[in-house]
Amino acid sequence: MNGAQSRTRVARDHALITPESHVPASIPGWTKARAITIFAPVMGAGFVQSLVTLEAGAISAVPLAGVERFVFVLEGSVRFEAEARTTTLEGGGYAFVPAGTAHTITSATGAVFFMLEKRYVPLAGAAPRLIVSREQDVPAVPFLGDPSALLRTLLPDEPGFDMAMNTFVFQPGASLPMVESHVMEHGLVFLEGGGVYRLGDAWYPVQAGDAIWMAPYLPQWFGCIGKGPARYLYYKDVNRDPMLEPRR
């Protein structure tokens, strides 16, 4: 009966998807690549969050028209090419690709990476730009002055960007200082460690490999439990008027 057990939970306004529930599939247009589509608009999310595995010799395809892409390498290495620039991305390396920007992702040896795609919401007079960097090169800032909760902001807080991608590291015993409830939607994945996440009125044990979707205004809180730190990567929508209709 072990195969009938799972920590995965899906509700109207949140979801916890755990590794034992993963089902890979091919990605249209990609070669030698498989993806686990963890969150998608069909469930209510305003984005697609995937875990992508590349075999040696894999080649990516471009997103749909109007869709921006963020990738964050977890294992192995990829060759990222865009705007006449070629970069090797390894663990912690990431790239943000504005909608309509030609690029390719290839791998000579195989790799695993997080990918988030969403339809870009334009803003008059502003536009995003290509970003290629490493988490390790981004300064860690104490969250609301707490040195046991460190935040790295991976994308610029500029009007042209309608999404933010951050990593959060909590030391054992650290937690968010309040139960948050806000207009922004979240999608996240735990990279290491674990703890307890409150989503609405439910409390979930979480660990590395788990992914969470949070709808706007869902009450949420996290506390790190264990002997080591917890680290997660998360998305939120930003810099757009709340009167805009959701684009899904």
Side-chain angles (χ1 to χ4, degrees):
M1 295 294 291
N2 287 343
Q5 303 298 317
S6 176
R7 293 183 297 111
T8 288
R9 296 291 183 271
V10 178
R12 178 189 60 80
D13 55 5
H14 70 272
L16 168 66
I17 307 295
T18 58
E20 71 275 4
S21 298
H22 288 174
V23 178
S26 60
I27 317 173
W30 294 53
T31 60
K32 296 187 176 181
R34 305 276 282 176
I36 299 153
T37 302
I38 299 175
F39 305 126
V42 69
M43 74 186 302
F47 58 92
V48 174
Q49 179 174 317
S50 305
L51 182 65
V52 180
T53 299
L54 302 184
E55 300 176 23
I59 304 173
S60 68
V62 297
L64 297 176
V67 172
E68 57 195 344
R69 173 181 284 170
F70 177 89
V71 299
F72 184 98
V73 177
L74 303 174
E75 300 174 19
S77 66
V78 303
R79 178 184 174 96
F80 178 82
E81 298 180 63
E83 297 184 350
R85 175 183 176 185
T86 300
T87 308
T88 298
L89 300 178
E90 300 177 323
Y94 64 90
F96 167 80
V97 187
T101 301
H103 66 285
T104 58
I105 303 168
T106 59
S107 181
T109 58
V112 179
F113 59 86
F114 166 100
M115 183 167 72
L116 190 137
E117 296 179 324
K118 69 176 289 291
R119 192 166 299 281
Y120 180 63
V121 181
L123 181 66
R129 53 194 166 88
L130 178 71
I131 301 290
V132 182
S133 188
R134 302 191 313 157
E135 179 195 16
Q136 300 92 316
D137 296 334
V138 178
V141 178
F143 183 63
L144 298 180
D146 183 357
S148 65
L150 299 178
L151 183 70
R152 284 183 167 89
T153 303
L154 305 184
L155 298 181
D157 184 11
E158 298 173 0
F161 288 81
D162 70 343
M163 63 184 288
M165 296 297 310
N166 305 324
T167 57
F168 228 146
V169 177
F170 294 82
Q171 295 302 315
S175 68
L176 290 173
M178 69 193 87
V179 176
E180 298 183 3
S181 180
H182 49 62
V183 70
M184 295 168 287
E185 181 181 32
H186 282 320
L188 68 80
V189 62
F190 272 86
L191 303 176
E192 62 180 290
V196 174
Y197 227 111
R198 175 185 170 179
L199 303 172
D201 294 327
W203 298 76
Y204 300 99
V206 289
Q207 62 191 37
D210 291 352
I212 296 174
W213 166 62
M214 292 172 259
Y217 292 106
L218 175 76
Q220 56 190 259
W221 178 90
F222 173 70
C224 178
I225 297 175
K227 296 182 178 180
R231 171 171 157 258
Y232 60 75
L233 168 68
Y234 74 101
Y235 152 84
K236 61 181 177 180
D237 49 317
V238 295
N239 295 331
R240 295 297 180 268
D241 194 312
M243 286 297 293
L244 289 172
E245 292 292 330
R247 294 198 173 193
R248 294 198 171 110

